Amino acid sequence: MMAGFGHTSRRHPRSRGRTGSRSGPDRATLGIIGVICAVAGFFVLGIVLGPVAVVCGWLAMGRSWNGARPLPALVALVLGAIDTVLAIVALAGTASPGYGVF
């Protein structure tokens, strides 16, 4: 058989196996990145870093509520949600006529 130009014995593309669930170290890294984004979001760019922390926490939890929840993933999810809500409240306060929330 020819080994190039689409004449391979492989039926699926190589990147097919990478679309599965995340492994342990990848989840731990996503959890830590989410916690860092959540803490930094309390000080700067909360409207951007809050949702990033929520997404990182959700992906670190394996995209489900079942099973064991790693602590950094849960902290990232909760702090990111609080951060997002506070940023929305602050933006709503500055958009209204008056002195704002803070």
Side-chain angles (χ1 to χ4, degrees):
M1 286 185 95
M2 294 180 65
F5 302 113
H7 298 288
T8 62
S9 61
R10 185 182 300 266
R11 297 285 181 207
H12 301 289
R14 290 181 190 258
S15 64
R16 177 77 67 176
R18 296 181 188 170
T19 59
S21 64
R22 304 245 181 235
S23 64
D26 289 341
R27 285 184 178 180
T29 304
L30 278 174
I32 292 170
I33 289 172
V35 169
I36 291 170
C37 287
V39 170
F42 281 114
F43 301 105
V44 292
L45 294 173
I47 195 68
V48 174
L49 293 176
V52 169
V54 170
V55 169
C56 285
W58 179 251
L59 290 176
M61 286 174 54
R63 294 179 283 182
S64 71
W65 291 107
N66 300 337
R69 295 183 192 103
L71 186 63
L74 192 61
V75 169
L77 191 73
V78 170
L79 287 181
I82 292 171
D83 192 20
T84 304
V85 168
L86 287 177
I88 290 172
V89 167
L91 285 175
T94 59
S96 65
Y99 296 109
V101 175
F102 298 111

